[in-house]
Amino acid sequence: MTGKLASIVFKPESGGREPGLGYHRVPLREARLVVGHGIEGDAKGGKRKRQLNVVSSGVIEELGTEGFGTRPGQLGEQLVIDGVAVERLPIGTRLQIGAVACIELLELRTGCSRFEKHHGRTKEEAAGRLGMMAAVTAAGAIQVGDVVEVLRDVNTVRLP
């Protein structure tokens, strides 16, 4: 099963917030994934189970029709994937992004009080649809448009 990387956003380590946007994220055309951190330079990276938030574009569209803010990064996501229902994949599934980078899905992302504040909605209204938390298992460069391949075993990663 394959899809495409539709969006990359991150929170600059320099911090700062854009009023009214909630989660301050900066869109990128390309980035580097770092094992044990997430997106290089991302202030939200570095926690074992919270290196990356990965969500499918279909879920973002669905939440948008329900009135949630869905501009890039507004749901707190960092990577958006077209063509793969990430939220339906089993825990432990690995995704290869581009030629080398690989991530492992760790758990469903749940909303928090901050999410509720920024969207004016309860987290229960978006339950099961906020993407998956993931960790980087193989470092590498990624860019919007890269192929995303669903892997079952890290040993199936194709190297250039």
Side-chain angles (χ1 to χ4, degrees):
M1 177 184 334
T2 62
K4 288 212 180 266
L5 185 59
S7 174
I8 305 167
V9 294
F10 85 125
K11 181 177 182 177
E13 289 178 338
S14 60
R17 295 182 84 150
E18 279 187 59
L21 285 184
Y23 298 102
H24 176 59
R25 300 285 193 265
V26 175
L28 302 170
R29 289 278 317 141
E30 56 188 34
R32 178 162 181 74
L33 296 184
V34 177
V35 174
H37 182 78
I39 296 172
E40 186 173 65
D42 189 359
K44 296 297 287 181
K47 297 177 183 143
R48 188 182 115 50
K49 288 196 172 188
R50 299 191 74 79
Q51 294 175 23
L52 293 170
N53 177 8
V54 185
V55 67
S56 64
S57 59
V59 164
I60 288 178
E61 291 170 15
E62 182 181 303
L63 291 171
T65 65
E66 295 175 20
F68 287 90
T70 57
R71 288 187 305 262
Q74 203 170 7
L75 290 168
E77 81 283 355
Q78 291 149 305
L79 303 179
V80 177
I81 299 173
D82 281 335
V84 175
V86 176
E87 301 78 10
R88 294 186 182 152
L89 294 173
I91 302 298
T93 299
R94 292 188 180 206
L95 305 176
Q96 182 175 329
I97 306 171
V100 178
C102 190
I103 63 174
E104 181 178 346
L105 303 178
L106 301 175
E107 63 188 17
L108 273 172
R109 177 175 172 241
T110 58
C112 60
S113 60
R114 185 171 166 211
F115 173 85
E116 292 177 332
K117 176 185 172 194
H118 294 307
H119 290 277
R121 313 280 295 273
T122 68
K123 61 185 179 183
E124 287 77 23
E125 292 178 81
R129 301 181 297 160
L130 291 177
M132 297 283 286
M133 299 312 301
V136 179
T137 58
I142 61 171
Q143 62 184 1
V144 171
D146 275 349
V147 171
V148 176
E149 184 175 356
V150 178
L151 306 174
R152 295 289 174 220
D153 181 342
V154 72
N155 295 320
T156 63
V157 174
R158 290 176 308 200
L159 297 176

